[in-house]
Amino acid sequence: MTTPVPSDEQLAVDLRSWLPSQRWFSGKNRTIAQVRVVLRVPLLDEDGFAAEHVLVEVDFDTGPQQRYQIPLGFRTHLSDPLLTWSLPEPPSDVAAGYDGLHDPEILARYLTALAGQEDLGPLAFRTLPDVTVDLADTGRSLGVEQSNTSVVYGESLLFKAFRHVEVGINPDVELHRALSEVGCEHVAALRGWVETEIDGETTTLGMAQEFVENAADGWSMALVSVRDLFAEADLHAAELGSDFAGDAERLGAAVAHVHADLAASLGTEERQASDLAIDEMRARLDAAAEAIPDIAEYRDGVLRVYDEAAQAGPTTIQRVHGDLHLGQVLRTPWKWLLIDFEGEPVKSVADRRKPDSPLRDVAGMLRSFDYAGHHLLGEKSPNRTHQREFRASEWVERNSSAFCDGYAAVAGTDPRASSALLRAYELDKAVYEAVYEARHRPSWLPLPLSAIARLVAH
């Protein structure tokens, strides 16, 4: 290399202090014991400028090891924009390092590798047949994600780098590929991916897909509708100009179409409801009840719902989204799109790839409607009046019903007909939410607790 870059040892030291400040680093609540650099793939090397694709293993004082991929740039002089993303100041004889996904020159190198389906050392860049990549497109990083980093090239291609690397094929690539191959209209089409081999297993590092312009996420749209409802004291939800029910119904139809396309592409199985993840639900409930006394109060009632669900008889399972909520859908001027098929981030890749009931996704969306309708009230806000609580519940019920109506019209079966199993999935999600809120947003904890109380009493 013509550019003086840090040694593996120095880079590991720098990354150990730098990683906890990155929004995509999921080990913030643990103490790093050691960082090891396990892969450095040269991407560029010019006078005073170099780039590498780096893979590291992070050990903690407690808990399992994690792997991260960190595209890095090294320059003898950093511009002000790159200083924002810089590693700790290096020794005087070494170039300064920084997050390479914020450097247009490095982004261009990744685009070239994808267009040429290059093999860069152990990194394999691949595209679907007949995909054309425009090398004239300039890349820019988006700053809206928590766990990954996405780059938009021009106005047509989105590249997502999975920062936290888990061994195996990422469901986001796997399911997008399956849906693209059957022509699903409710996802952004897959264009390509990056993979390598870790521990003898093909592992996804990133994916490229169609970039969708002029789209709004479902969560933002729902909140506008709820705010308007609170502002218009004399109007019902159906009388609002921003009534969301029509979109909720179309969203339900879109989800059902995606489920049907996943079933057509990857198949289905019949299982007894008792063979589903009921035991895992019980285990999660017990752990939550130990940590949150308020959940313990409802434990017996939740278990009764789980027991009833286990008696529901044969049910169809298939590949599903796995972490569906209003933030995982986009409304374009023409239709709804589902995004981010990675599944629940707390689960392993192997668990996220397991078939499940489509009701898992339906329940996730119903929980999201409940959040959208109620979280603006605030636990102790002066705006939390009986009238507003009634109107929030009215909004949730209207849009949840519309979503299920849209789903049933396409699927041919109403998810509400499987009431015990659907409630079990809703409760499992609410228990998960309660644990999350207790750890990260205690003021929001009453929201899932209220849902648990309502679902148990139903």
Side-chain angles (χ1 to χ4, degrees):
M1 268 197 164
T2 60
T3 301
V5 299
S7 65
D8 286 359
E9 294 75 15
Q10 180 62 51
L11 185 57
V13 170
D14 292 342
L15 291 173
R16 181 175 179 175
S17 63
W18 181 78
L19 279 169
S21 63
Q22 306 311 302
R23 64 185 304 176
W24 41 260
F25 181 65
S26 62
K28 292 182 176 67
N29 59 339
R30 295 194 281 164
T31 301
I32 296 177
Q34 184 182 16
V35 173
R36 287 186 303 278
V37 178
V38 296
L39 181 66
R40 297 178 73 168
V41 179
L43 301 174
L44 294 166
D45 187 15
E46 304 170 2
D47 186 23
F49 169 46
E52 298 176 344
H53 193 98
V54 176
L55 189 69
V56 300
E57 293 176 346
V58 183
D59 294 330
F60 300 90
D61 284 354
T62 60
Q65 177 193 87
Q66 293 181 341
R67 290 184 179 91
Y68 288 89
Q69 61 172 330
I70 312 169
L72 290 176
F74 300 95
R75 292 183 182 271
T76 52
H77 300 287
L78 294 187
S79 64
D80 287 343
L82 293 180
L83 281 172
T84 304
W85 310 102
S86 64
L87 273 61
E89 187 173 351
S92 58
D93 59 342
V94 175
Y98 58 94
D99 188 338
L101 290 184
H102 298 275
D103 186 329
E105 290 186 64
I106 297 175
L107 296 181
R109 180 66 186 99
Y110 281 107
L111 189 66
T112 300
L114 188 66
Q117 300 196 63
E118 296 183 36
D119 291 316
L120 298 179
L123 305 183
F125 291 76
R126 299 291 182 260
T127 61
L128 289 176
D130 302 322
V131 167
T132 300
V133 177
D134 189 348
L135 294 176
D137 286 342
T138 300
R140 67 183 189 281
S141 289
L142 302 179
V144 297
E145 293 176 285
Q146 293 291 338
S147 57
N148 304 307
T149 299
S150 288
V151 176
V152 174
Y153 289 96
E155 301 298 336
S156 60
L157 189 72
L158 183 142
F159 177 77
K160 182 193 296 184
F162 302 115
R163 294 292 198 158
H164 183 189
V165 177
E166 293 191 69
V167 175
I169 298 173
N170 192 295
D172 210 4
V173 171
E174 182 184 19
L175 298 189
H176 267 100
R177 184 171 187 175
L179 290 167
S180 295
E181 288 174 348
V182 297
C184 181
E185 297 182 355
H186 294 285
V187 295
L190 182 70
R191 297 290 186 246
W193 62 92
V194 185
E195 62 188 24
T196 191
E197 192 170 285
I198 297 178
D199 298 338
E201 190 171 346
T202 300
T203 297
T204 309
L205 298 179
M207 65 179 288
Q209 62 186 127
E210 174 191 10
F211 175 63
V212 182
E213 291 187 275
N214 301 320
D217 70 273
W219 177 254
S220 298
M221 292 179 63
L223 290 193
V224 169
S225 179
V226 175
R227 288 193 181 102
D228 287 353
L229 179 63
F230 288 169
E232 297 290 347
D234 298 326
L235 296 180
H236 292 284
E239 300 170 319
L240 290 176
S242 57
D243 178 31
F244 194 68
D247 269 312
E249 184 173 357
R250 287 184 286 272
L251 177 56
V255 173
H257 279 297
V258 170
H259 282 165
D261 287 338
L262 284 172
S265 179
L266 299 174
T268 64
E269 301 175 41
E270 288 293 315
R271 292 267 183 91
Q272 292 295 320
S274 57
D275 294 333
L276 297 179
I278 304 296
D279 286 341
E280 296 174 16
M281 293 182 187
R282 294 187 180 106
R284 283 191 288 270
L285 173 64
D286 287 342
E290 287 185 14
I292 306 171
D294 286 330
I295 288 184
E297 176 184 344
Y298 300 107
R299 180 179 177 276
D300 290 345
V302 176
L303 287 174
R304 282 194 293 272
V305 176
Y306 290 169
D307 291 342
E308 185 182 354
Q311 302 302 315
T315 188
T316 301
I317 65 169
Q318 62 169 83
R319 295 298 297 276
V320 298
H321 184 284
D323 188 29
L324 192 61
H325 53 77
L326 286 165
Q328 303 280 42
V329 293
L330 297 177
R331 182 69 167 92
T332 75
W334 307 279
K335 57 189 175 183
W336 281 103
L337 299 177
L338 277 63
I339 62 173
D340 293 341
F341 283 75
E342 292 180 70
E344 285 190 11
V346 296
K347 294 182 178 179
S348 68
V349 167
D351 284 342
R352 284 183 264 155
R353 294 181 69 197
K354 290 179 180 178
D356 202 345
S357 168
L359 292 175
R360 171 77 71 182
D361 287 345
V362 174
M365 193 59 70
L366 296 183
R367 290 296 312 124
S368 195
F369 282 123
D370 190 57
Y371 256 70
H374 288 105
H375 95 279
L376 292 175
L377 292 174
E379 180 187 7
K380 298 179 180 179
S381 168
N383 294 324
R384 191 178 184 95
T385 63
H386 176 73
Q387 182 192 38
R388 286 198 167 201
E389 288 180 350
F390 173 83
R391 293 167 73 77
S393 297
E394 175 194 28
W395 187 94
V396 173
E397 175 60 29
R398 174 174 173 76
N399 288 284
S400 296
S401 295
F403 175 86
C404 289
D405 288 344
Y407 189 97
V410 172
T413 56
D414 193 325
R416 291 164 293 194
S418 304
S419 58
L421 196 53
L422 180 59
R423 273 202 298 152
Y425 278 111
E426 286 186 83
L427 278 166
D428 187 48
K429 184 68 171 180
V431 168
Y432 167 85
E433 292 162 353
V435 172
Y436 179 89
E437 303 300 11
R439 290 176 179 171
H440 303 287
R441 299 182 299 196
S443 65
W444 286 42
L445 180 57
L447 213 162
L449 289 178
S450 296
I452 293 171
R454 173 178 55 80
L455 288 164
V456 166
H458 185 67

